[in-house]
C-alpha cells in the first residue's frame, strides 16, 4: 500500500486574496509528502507542482489534514485534475463530521500525542518571503510527520483526543485504517 501523507504551505494569506473563497490565489510555496511505499519525505517548490500532483495521483490513498477544503483547492491553480476525487482520508473532515466542529491539527496533536506544531501558516508565509526555504520545508515536514503520527495513533487506538472549550480533555472515536 502506498499511503501518501501530504501538506502544503502558501505564499499569501487569506486577507491578501480576498478571503477563503479565493484559495487558488494563495499560491503554493512549498509542499511535503511522506510515502509509506518508500518511507521517504519529499519536498516540492511551486515549480514542482506538476510532480507533486503526479505523486498524489499515483498514491493509493492521500492522507492529510484539511486537504479537501484547503490543500487541494490551492493546487487548482496548477491543474485541471479533480484532486478531490482522489482516494483521500482527510483527518479534519472525519473529526469534524463526528464532532460537528473543527479542531486544529495542533489541538489534536497536543491532546493525543503530547506534541505541538513547530510554527503556523502565517510564519510560513513570512519565511517564504524572507527566502528561508529550509525553515519552511522543515515546518511543512513537521506537519506531515505530526499528521502521520496522529493517523497512526487513531488507527491503532480507535480514537484521538482534543480539549473542549471548557478545558476538559475528551476523546473522539475514529475508524482509520
Amino acid at each position: 500500500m502506498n499511503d501518501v501523507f501530504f501538506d502544503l504551505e502558501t505564499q499569501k494569506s487569506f486577507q491578501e486574496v480576498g478571503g477563503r473563497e479565493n484559495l487558488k490565489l494563495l499560491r503554493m510555496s512549498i509542499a511535503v509528502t511522506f510515502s509509506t511505499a518508500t518511507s521517504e519525505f519529499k519536498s516540492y517548490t511551486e515549480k514542482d507542482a506538476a510532480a507533486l500532483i503526479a505523486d498524489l495521483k499515483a498514491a493509493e490513498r492521500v492522507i492529510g489534514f484539511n486537504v479537501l477544503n484547503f490543500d487541494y483547492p490551492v493546487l487548482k491553480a496548477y491543474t485541471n485534475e479533480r484532486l478531490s476525487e482522489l482516494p483521500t482520508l482527510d483527518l479534519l473532515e472525519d473529526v469534524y463530521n463526528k464532532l460537528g466542529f473543527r479542531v486544529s491539527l495542533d489541538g489534536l496533536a497536543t491532546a493525543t500525542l503530547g506534541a505541538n506544531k513547530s510554527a503556523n501558516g502565517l510564519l510560513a508565509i513570512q519565511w517564504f518571503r524572507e527566502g528561508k526555504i529550509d525553515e519552511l520545508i522543515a515546518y511543512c515536514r513537521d506537519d506531515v510527520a505530526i499528521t502521520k503520527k496522529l493517523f497512526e495513533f487513531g488507527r491503532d487506538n480507535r480514537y484521538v483526543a482534543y480539549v473542549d472549550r471548557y478545558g476538559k480533555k475528551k476523546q473522539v472515536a475514529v475508524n482509520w485504517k
Side-chain angles (χ1 to χ4, degrees), residues 37 63 97 153:
I63 301 174
N97 287 339
F153 183 96

Side-chain angles (χ1 to χ4, degrees), residues 28-165:
M28 179 181 99
S29 62
I30 198 79
V32 172
T33 60
F34 177 87
S35 167
T36 59
T38 64
S39 296
E40 292 180 352
F41 287 93
K42 191 172 177 182
S43 60
Y44 311 78
T45 62
E46 184 180 32
K47 67 178 176 47
D48 304 318
L52 167 63
I53 292 163
D55 286 349
L56 295 175
K57 287 176 58 182
E60 291 179 57
R61 177 173 59 172
V62 177
I63 301 174
F65 194 86
N66 201 22
V67 293
L68 292 172
N69 292 308
F70 183 77
D71 302 69
Y72 287 170
V74 169
L75 287 176
K76 282 186 179 184
Y78 308 96
T79 184
N80 291 323
E81 300 282 344
R82 292 183 176 181
L83 298 175
S84 61
E85 294 178 3
L86 296 176
T88 302
L89 173 58
D90 187 325
L91 303 186
L92 174 59
E93 181 177 83
D94 188 60
V95 169
Y96 175 82
N97 287 339
K98 289 176 173 65
L99 295 176
F101 56 87
R102 293 168 58 100
V103 181
S104 69
L105 177 59
D106 194 49
L108 289 172
T110 300
T112 305
L113 307 170
N116 294 90
K117 287 175 45 104
S118 59
N120 62 57
L122 292 177
L123 188 54
I125 292 168
Q126 179 183 328
W127 285 338
F128 173 76
R129 292 180 179 162
E130 293 172 354
K132 296 180 177 177
I133 302 305
D134 290 342
E135 288 93 332
L136 186 55
I137 291 170
Y139 163 61
C140 194
R141 181 180 170 143
D142 287 349
D143 271 10
V144 170
I146 286 174
T147 301
K148 180 178 178 290
K149 287 176 187 169
L150 187 67
F151 165 79
E152 291 169 344
F153 183 96
R155 178 196 64 202
D156 297 344
N157 296 284
R158 320 279 282 159
Y159 76 91
V160 292
Y162 66 99
V163 176
D164 71 11
R165 64 182 177 199

